[in-house]
Amino acid sequence: MSTAVVVEAPGRHRLVAHEPRDPGPGEALVRVHSVGVCGSDREVYQGNRPEGYVRYPLIPGHEWSGTVERVGAGVPESLTGRKVVGEGFRNCQVCDRCHAGETTLCTAGYAETGFTEPGAMAPTLTLPARLLHPLPDGADLTAAALLEPAACIAAAALRANARPGERVAVVGTGTLGMFAVQFLAAGSPAELLVVGSRPDREALSRQFGATGFRTKDQELPGDFDVVIETAGSADAARTSAALLRRGGRLVLTGIPAPGATGLDPTDLVVRQLEVHTVFGAPPEAWAHTVRVFGAGLLDPLPMVTHELQLAEFSRALELVGSGDPKVGKVLLHP
């Protein structure tokens, strides 16, 4: 029997029988290959997701890859059989922000696959076909399941607008940090420094293109052109700002715990720092990610350390929250 994970309420989940939902007009039914488990899935299970950003009961799963099985009316039949990934934000397409391409700022309100809409921790997922991004025929679907977090970092890389020959840095050595290293390395920087709290990530950072690695307790320079922060703490944000030269560009992607003290506004103004933030990934970032992945410039597989069956959802959450340095990206296979 096909089963799906349902989080009924914080701290409660069960496996339920799964019946594929036929695609309606404008929709596609995707056979899920792999689905990633991340910290936000633990937030959903623990009940730590901010109000309005989760709706129970819920099938989680927002990082996924799969193959289109059927399409509804108005969707090209040529999409059937294609390997795909898909955007999570269910934007309205008609507000001014959507028309400007800023779909993550849709004024119709928040709706996202795996948080307020059924996610991919199930054998199939039915969603609007307009959200799908076809992959090359030879794409590795296990690797492609990580393209959602990669797209979020692609949004940061596009905001950073790092130019060839600039000195760039990444703060944070988790999945997002390692993707940031790969995107920045593809732009031919003069120097690419990674700063983190885990010395064991140095080898992987250098494998992805870093030219230097330091832990946050070591002496750090302060003359970088661009810094992307991925660690999700106020301390990481301050470290990132301190790495920049006057007039440098900072992109924040992490979300610190509520009540965290932030950057010093006086420092920002006096040093004329350019600060951007990213929450999710608009279509431009998704398209950029799929292009870079298809060109072989993005390699997610070295970050995958555990592949489990869907019934091992509890174990996957334990691994993600363990703090064990040997745990990287955890994938479930429906």
Side-chain angles (χ1 to χ4, degrees), residues 88-180:
F89 281 82
R90 306 291 185 93
N91 55 84
C92 74
Q93 296 186 286
V94 296
C95 72
D96 63 337
R97 292 302 87 207
C98 284
H99 281 306
E102 298 175 336
T103 55
T104 58
L105 299 178
C106 176
T107 59
Y110 172 77
E112 185 176 4
T113 300
F115 296 108
T116 64
E117 305 293 331
M121 290 190 187
T124 68
L125 172 65
T126 302
L127 73 168
R130 61 182 172 82
L131 300 177
L132 297 179
H133 289 261
L135 301 170
D137 291 340
D140 184 329
L141 284 177
T142 299
L146 275 69
L147 293 188
E148 191 277 342
C152 295
I153 291 302
L158 292 171
R159 286 283 178 90
N161 191 29
R163 295 178 279 275
E166 288 192 311
R167 301 178 68 239
V168 302
V170 174
V171 175
T173 55
T175 299
L176 297 181
M178 294 300 94
F179 275 130

Side-chain angles (χ1 to χ4, degrees), residues 40-82:
S40 57
D41 294 307
R42 290 189 76 242
E43 289 177 354
V44 167
Y45 187 72
Q46 294 174 336
N48 299 330
R49 190 83 172 158
E51 185 178 357
Y53 286 83
V54 64
R55 184 181 301 136
Y56 302 101
L58 173 72
I59 299 176
H62 60 285
E63 305 176 2
W64 58 270
S65 63
T67 303
V68 177
E69 282 201 348
R70 296 196 297 276
V71 297
V75 180
E77 282 291 340
S78 59
L79 196 59
T80 303
R82 292 296 303 272

